[in-house]
Amino acid sequence: MSEVEPWSLIYKKIYVLGAGAVGCYFGGMLARTHHDVTFIARPERAKVLNEAGLEMDCKSFHETIAVKASTELSILSDADLLLLSVKSLDTERTIAQVQSILPSKAVILSLQNGVANIDVASKVVANPIYAAVVYVAAGMIAHRTVKHHGRGELLIGNPSQVNDQDDQYLQGICALFEGAGVPCSITPQIKRDMWLKFLVNCSFNAISGIGQIPYGEMVKSPEIVKLIEEITKEFLAIAALEDVNITMSEAVAINASIATTMVTQVSSTAQDLARGKMTEIDFLNGYIVDLGKRYGIATPFNESVHALVKMLESQIK
């Protein structure tokens, strides 16, 4: 690999599978720096992106980026890097659809919520699959505008043991994003970092969705702060049984950081419900509830917010 641009020899053709806020933000940052990025999107979004470009209304800039978009999975046949940003509930179906199309050289980076997606995808494809812990506050306005509310960094790694080939792939991904102005680092403890982000999702997403309320407003309510604390206690008990040890002080600190660095953000769960779409709640608090049943641990607070989001989902036509 070249010393100057090692990523250019590995990741020439980049595809974003799942052109929501996360996919459009990170794919847009790469496209903005003239990488060959194609978004796989639904027909309406693909048409608008092709015709009018991707508008990035970000904290440090506001630009419209000329991008390529398609509805066709068949174009993935020349992929070098696939940014997987579909909803967790769509992972298995989506990976099964592309399994015969993706070349064996293609590297997959999961930008998804939850902690089960790598395992789900790995059972379907043999391609290298890596996890990204995503900390970005962003949402989509109509079909072509990413509204960036804050942060935007990635932690990446292999939940399994890293070998020399993995290290090369991961370093290439880091160089790619760093060159596009996205802070990105490789972490040897990616499973723990995934669970720390998972904690944030379980603490904030459902409540934000139920109340259609941004994070900064949530923590102004003492009752909600107490609810977050109880959800967190249950979460940590389950995490320990999954060999992930997070202290209560660590958990409190990372929850607090989200409320202060993403003040105006509403959760992806809230955004889905507002658009009349099914959420990822079964892979967030619902996953904690399922693990609790498996281990014989009561999780009444996680069960409560999970049940309320499921109730709201049941109203979706």
Side-chain angles (χ1 to χ4, degrees):
M1 293 190 298
S2 158
E3 290 297 319
V4 179
E5 292 185 332
W7 63 90
S8 66
L9 299 179
I10 306 177
Y11 304 122
K12 290 184 178 179
K13 299 287 288 186
I14 303 165
Y15 292 89
V16 178
L17 186 50
V22 168
C24 283
Y25 177 79
F26 289 104
M29 291 296 284
L30 295 177
R32 181 176 181 248
T33 44
H34 309 296
H35 290 285
D36 188 343
V37 179
T38 303
F39 296 86
I40 309 296
R42 291 193 171 95
E44 301 87 351
R45 181 155 297 175
K47 182 174 186 293
V48 173
L49 289 177
N50 281 323
E51 291 177 353
L54 175 67
E55 182 183 9
M56 299 192 73
D57 183 359
C58 296
K59 299 288 281 187
S60 58
F61 67 90
H62 191 162
E63 297 175 17
T64 295
I65 318 295
V67 298
K68 296 183 293 183
S70 175
T71 61
E72 299 299 324
L73 294 175
S74 60
I75 67 171
L76 296 173
S77 60
D78 65 353
D80 295 310
L81 177 64
L82 180 67
L83 302 182
L84 183 63
S85 50
V86 299
K87 296 292 185 183
S88 295
L89 61 162
D90 295 324
T91 298
E92 186 172 10
R93 176 182 57 81
T94 301
I95 291 295
Q97 287 177 324
V98 304
Q99 183 264 336
S100 63
I101 302 169
L102 276 180
S104 59
K105 63 169 181 164
V107 173
I108 301 171
L109 182 68
S110 167
L111 301 174
Q112 301 163 283
N113 285 330
V115 293
N117 290 293
I118 302 293
D119 289 341
V120 169
S122 296
K123 290 175 182 175
V124 182
V125 293
N127 297 66
I129 307 177
Y130 303 114
V133 178
V134 177
Y135 285 106
V136 67
M140 290 300 293
I141 300 172
H143 285 303
R144 62 177 289 263
T145 302
V146 178
K147 176 64 177 175
H148 177 221
H149 296 275
R151 298 182 70 167
E153 69 270 25
L154 297 172
L155 293 173
I156 65 172
N158 186 352
S160 305
Q161 190 170 359
V162 176
N163 58 37
D164 290 342
Q165 185 70 75
D166 291 323
D167 190 56
Q168 184 183 57
Y169 286 144
L170 290 167
Q171 286 190 38
I173 292 171
C174 257
L176 179 78
F177 281 110
E178 287 280 348
V182 175
C184 183
S185 57
I186 301 169
T187 172
Q189 53 175 26
I190 189 68
K191 180 180 178 181
R192 189 173 192 275
D193 288 313
M194 289 170 70
W195 274 79
L196 283 167
K197 170 67 187 305
F198 186 35
L199 165 63
V200 167
N201 289 144
C202 289
S203 297
F204 286 86
N205 281 37
I207 300 169
S208 174
I210 295 161
Q212 290 294 310
I213 186 171
Y215 300 156
E217 291 299 314
M218 280 172 52
V219 297
K220 291 180 181 178
S221 165
E223 292 81 8
I224 295 302
V225 171
K226 178 64 175 174
L227 176 56
I228 290 172
E229 180 183 328
E230 295 298 337
I231 288 171
T232 298
K233 288 177 183 176
E234 293 175 0
F235 180 98
L236 297 183
I238 298 297
L241 293 168
E242 289 284 300
D243 296 321
V244 179
N245 293 303
I246 301 167
T247 67
M248 189 64 187
S249 60
E250 284 179 301
V252 169
I254 197 166
N255 279 338
S257 75
I258 295 301
T260 55
T261 61
M262 300 184 180
V263 177
T264 60
Q265 176 75 2
V266 297
S267 69
S268 56
T269 303
Q271 294 175 51
D272 285 337
L273 289 170
R275 294 186 179 112
K277 295 169 61 178
M278 300 299 283
T279 76
E280 297 178 293
I281 198 65
D282 289 341
F283 298 87
L284 302 177
N285 303 86
Y287 190 66
I288 293 298
V289 171
D290 287 344
L291 289 176
K293 290 175 181 175
R294 187 183 308 171
Y295 289 119
I297 302 291
T299 57
F301 291 95
N302 281 274
E303 283 184 21
S304 295
V305 294
H306 176 250
L308 289 170
V309 174
K310 296 301 285 185
M311 176 188 70
L312 293 172
E313 283 186 340
S314 72
Q315 305 304 306
I316 295 171
K317 303 300 183 193

